[in-house]
Amino acid sequence: MRMAELSQRSGVPIPTIRYYQREGLLHQGQLTSPNQAVYDDAHVRRLSLIRAMVEVGEMPIAAVKALFRHLEAKDADEYTTLGLVQYALVRDPPADTDLATQSETVDRLLTELGWQVRPDNPARRLLASALATLDRLGQQDLLGLLTPYAAAAHELAETEVPLALDRQGLDQRAEAVIIIGVLGDAILSALRKLAQEDVTTRALSSPNGPPGGA
């Protein structure tokens, strides 16, 4: 297919496709002349993956580029590569925040749970940053949610991880990690908000029903 068809099938404007190519996120097409190239379904699939990360996951281009670098590092073993791909999906918390106390809380929690998590997992710092924000807001009582959150997260992981590992080959497994990480977060967040409205409506027994209801 030509660039115009690639744009139409992927839903990505041609200037954006060119930008992704310049940034090394999308491999070049096969040249048929000095100024013409053809593309295949692999380009459509890669663009769909990029869109999921950028538009749904709101990942910066630099983070997407780093993720693909990890994925293409064929000298790394599968466990390391999949770990680096997952780590690249974690957004960075503010770097100027002192998280020593909250990091100790996270360490204790993981020890109590018996989870096998590497010290360099960036989600440790992300969780510590969230706990620091609770402290600043004076909402320490919400720390009681940590245990049920952890239980729910682990139950989900026990379903999600096998789905990813059932894929054949490193590339397919890594893609599943990305999709579950990005779209899974979006789906879970949406369902959680819908569930919260349901529980709130039932608890308050509103005679008018939920906001915006018929």
Side-chain angles (χ1 to χ4, degrees), residues 54-139:
V54 173
E55 297 177 13
V56 180
E58 299 182 344
M59 292 177 61
I61 293 299
V64 177
K65 187 186 297 188
L67 187 151
F68 284 137
R69 279 201 305 270
H70 296 319
L71 182 56
E72 291 162 4
K74 300 300 183 183
D75 56 331
D77 61 49
E78 182 175 33
Y79 177 72
T80 300
T81 299
L82 292 178
L84 291 172
V85 167
Q86 189 203 44
Y87 289 4
L89 297 174
V90 180
R91 62 178 178 83
D92 293 326
D96 59 347
T97 305
D98 182 5
L99 300 176
T101 300
Q102 290 77 21
S103 293
E104 291 177 0
T105 300
V106 172
D107 290 343
R108 284 196 303 273
L109 174 67
L110 294 176
T111 299
E112 291 169 1
L113 293 170
W115 289 7
Q116 301 179 57
V117 180
R118 287 179 290 192
D120 60 339
N121 189 320
R124 286 175 175 266
R125 181 173 173 82
L126 184 61
L127 178 55
S129 178
L131 298 184
T133 302
L134 283 181
D135 286 341
R136 287 195 298 272
L137 294 174
Q139 301 288 339

Side-chain angles (χ1 to χ4, degrees), residues 193-207:
K193 289 177 175 59
L194 292 169
Q196 287 170 343
E197 179 176 322
D198 174 65
V199 172
T200 301
T201 301
R202 293 172 188 273
L204 296 180
S205 301
S206 172

Side-chain angles (χ1 to χ4, degrees), residues 127-206:
L127 178 55
S129 178
L131 298 184
T133 302
L134 283 181
D135 286 341
R136 287 195 298 272
L137 294 174
Q139 301 288 339
Q140 290 86 349
D141 59 319
L142 295 182
L143 289 174
L145 292 172
L146 273 177
T147 299
Y149 278 169
H154 205 273
E155 183 177 353
L156 279 173
E158 288 176 336
T159 302
E160 295 167 334
V161 172
L163 284 176
L165 297 183
D166 278 347
R167 303 294 197 272
Q168 296 299 313
L170 176 58
D171 288 346
Q172 293 299 315
R173 289 180 172 184
E175 183 175 305
V177 169
I178 296 168
I179 293 171
I180 291 171
V182 174
L183 297 182
D185 278 0
I187 293 169
L188 179 59
S189 178
L191 286 171
R192 182 164 166 256
K193 289 177 175 59
L194 292 169
Q196 287 170 343
E197 179 176 322
D198 174 65
V199 172
T200 301
T201 301
R202 293 172 188 273
L204 296 180
S205 301
S206 172

Side-chain angles (χ1 to χ4, degrees), residues 8-93:
Q8 182 179 19
R9 288 185 56 185
S10 66
V12 179
I14 291 178
T16 304
I17 295 176
R18 300 285 192 200
Y19 170 66
Y20 291 159
Q21 289 179 321
R22 290 195 301 272
E23 291 295 317
L25 303 182
L26 181 71
H27 54 285
Q28 301 292 328
Q30 181 179 353
L31 288 176
T32 57
S33 71
N35 297 316
Q36 293 288 336
V38 293
Y39 304 88
D40 56 25
D41 288 340
H43 291 87
V44 177
R45 192 174 185 87
R46 173 59 70 93
L47 283 171
S48 297
L49 197 57
I50 295 171
R51 286 190 67 186
M53 289 186 283
V54 173
E55 297 177 13
V56 180
E58 299 182 344
M59 292 177 61
I61 293 299
V64 177
K65 187 186 297 188
L67 187 151
F68 284 137
R69 279 201 305 270
H70 296 319
L71 182 56
E72 291 162 4
K74 300 300 183 183
D75 56 331
D77 61 49
E78 182 175 33
Y79 177 72
T80 300
T81 299
L82 292 178
L84 291 172
V85 167
Q86 189 203 44
Y87 289 4
L89 297 174
V90 180
R91 62 178 178 83
D92 293 326

